[in-house]
Amino acid sequence: MLLGLSLDGGREEEGRRVEVEEEEAPQNEPRRLGIVWEGERESSLPTHTSTINNAEIAHFSKLSSQWWDEQGEFSFLHKMNPVRVQFIREKLLQAAYEDGVIPEDTPSTHNPLRRLDVLDVGCGGGLLSESLARLGAHTLGIDASLSNIRIAQMHASADPKLRSTLTYFHTPAETLLTADPKRYDVVCSMEVLEHVDNPATFLTTCAQLVKPGGHLFLSTISRTPLAYLLTIVMAEQVLRKVSPNTHTYSKFIKPSELIDFFKAYRSPIDENSEALSRPWINPNLEYPTRVEAEVRGLIYNPLQARWVLAPRDAFGATECNYLFWVRKPNNP
């Protein structure tokens, strides 16, 4: 699969989101989202549809009430979530060492997420968003499904401690990019890439939401016979752990395709010029350096009913589920 490149821009707007309202749209027109800002009212913004698959949104909207049922439809994600957080913490801690932000003898228990600005794209019911907010990150979770956002907001409202660190916003990433100038230290999009249309456009949008020197974390499924067997045949058709038609094999993306994408991708340096940064991953090297990008396999152990983060370069570990991290160049 070849992922084409496209660039998108942004504009500046000041303010803090305090409420989200949905407005009715005429039939056959995109639904518009009204955004209420503290101190002023922002005009309605069209919901961009360049990467949104309406069938996928409808599918997950129907399942939204099950997000926080640890034995239900999303039980695998509940078990996976601690491993995702572990990987994010490890990479941020490693980057902090490399940057000299913290001394090398800092204990591994150090929390590198505290006070960082984090964006969770396709947050669903908020499994990852809540975890990152509890670690002190100023977290914004966004999703194209209003049902998902409502469930996420309702669950988070039960914990007053989250009020100062967690916000949810019903919008696709493309709209956020053009509506809000804010960029993030960390952008996450977990188990989303295999459900969007135009993955290259989606990746470009996520990349543009990252601050220079910031981090992009992805979790998705590789397009291999093993992945088809485990995620579609076994999980959907045989064990019925996941609803049928949740996954589409042709949408799965191999780790090598993500690496190739970021070997070619260059960030806009300034929205007022056409200058571009260097590629996020050095295209002259066969494999990314450890300070540029990393791929780690996620392996499910059915005997222990838990996910395991595979060791680096473990043979065959990325043939199904995997995590991907890449860092935006700090200097052009």
Side-chain angles (χ1 to χ4, degrees), residues 16-287:
R16 181 173 66 85
R17 283 180 296 276
V18 294
E19 183 182 352
V20 176
E21 300 173 350
E22 186 182 31
E23 299 176 357
E24 293 298 325
Q27 192 173 7
N28 299 325
E29 289 188 14
R31 185 174 296 275
R32 292 177 179 267
L33 193 67
I35 309 165
V36 180
W37 296 80
E38 189 175 67
E40 62 176 315
R41 176 172 290 274
E42 170 71 3
S43 60
S44 295
L45 298 170
T47 300
H48 294 217
T49 57
S50 57
T51 67
I52 292 174
N53 183 299
N54 290 327
E56 297 272 9
I57 299 302
H59 176 81
F60 285 101
S61 293
K62 290 179 181 178
L63 300 172
S64 61
S65 62
Q66 300 183 48
W67 268 109
W68 289 95
D69 179 0
E70 295 186 15
Q71 306 304 318
E73 176 75 22
F74 301 105
S75 60
F76 280 128
L77 294 187
H78 277 273
K79 293 182 175 69
M80 185 186 291
N81 198 51
V83 186
R84 300 189 300 193
V85 174
Q86 172 193 345
F87 180 69
I88 292 170
R89 290 186 73 256
E90 283 183 3
K91 295 309 301 180
L92 294 180
L93 196 60
Q94 177 185 328
Y97 290 144
E98 298 284 348
D99 294 346
V101 175
I102 57 176
E104 292 187 5
D105 58 354
T106 301
S108 59
T109 54
H110 174 77
N111 179 13
L113 278 154
R114 189 173 300 280
R115 298 186 183 88
L116 293 186
D117 290 323
V118 175
L119 175 65
D120 185 10
V121 178
C123 64
L127 304 188
L128 180 65
S129 295
E130 281 201 16
S131 297
L132 299 179
R134 294 182 194 283
L135 288 170
H138 298 294
T139 306
L140 171 62
I142 65 171
D143 201 284
S145 165
L146 181 58
S147 298
N148 284 347
I149 289 297
R150 284 174 172 166
I151 290 295
Q153 288 174 326
M154 182 173 65
H155 191 271
S157 67
D159 186 353
K161 295 179 181 178
L162 293 174
R163 291 176 184 170
S164 63
T165 57
L166 180 59
T167 305
Y168 289 110
F169 189 21
H170 173 220
T171 185
E174 293 90 347
T175 300
L176 182 69
L177 178 67
T178 59
D180 191 344
K182 185 179 175 102
R183 298 299 178 255
Y184 297 83
D185 300 298
V186 175
V187 173
C188 303
S189 190
M190 305 301 197
E191 284 70 53
V192 175
L193 188 57
E194 68 270 22
H195 298 291
V196 304
D197 290 341
N198 303 319
T201 300
F202 181 77
L203 288 171
T204 298
T205 300
C206 289
Q208 288 185 258
L209 286 162
V210 181
K211 290 179 181 177
H215 308 262
L216 176 61
F217 291 91
L218 304 169
S219 176
T220 190
I221 304 172
S222 186
R223 197 174 61 262
T224 65
L226 178 62
Y228 180 83
L229 173 65
L230 295 178
T231 63
I232 296 177
V233 176
M234 293 302 296
E236 294 186 18
Q237 300 172 0
V238 177
L239 300 177
R240 298 284 179 170
K241 287 288 189 180
V242 178
S243 294
N245 303 316
T246 292
H247 298 106
T248 302
Y249 179 70
S250 61
K251 286 189 167 186
F252 293 176
I253 294 178
K254 296 179 179 180
S256 60
E257 292 166 348
L258 285 179
I259 291 173
D260 287 344
F261 177 90
F262 285 103
K263 282 184 176 181
Y265 178 71
R266 299 169 182 263
S267 306
I269 294 175
D270 189 323
E271 64 180 34
N272 297 318
S273 73
E274 297 182 358
L276 300 176
S277 73
R278 60 180 173 82
W280 285 32
I281 297 176
N282 188 340
N284 298 317
L285 300 177
E286 183 177 2
Y287 300 106

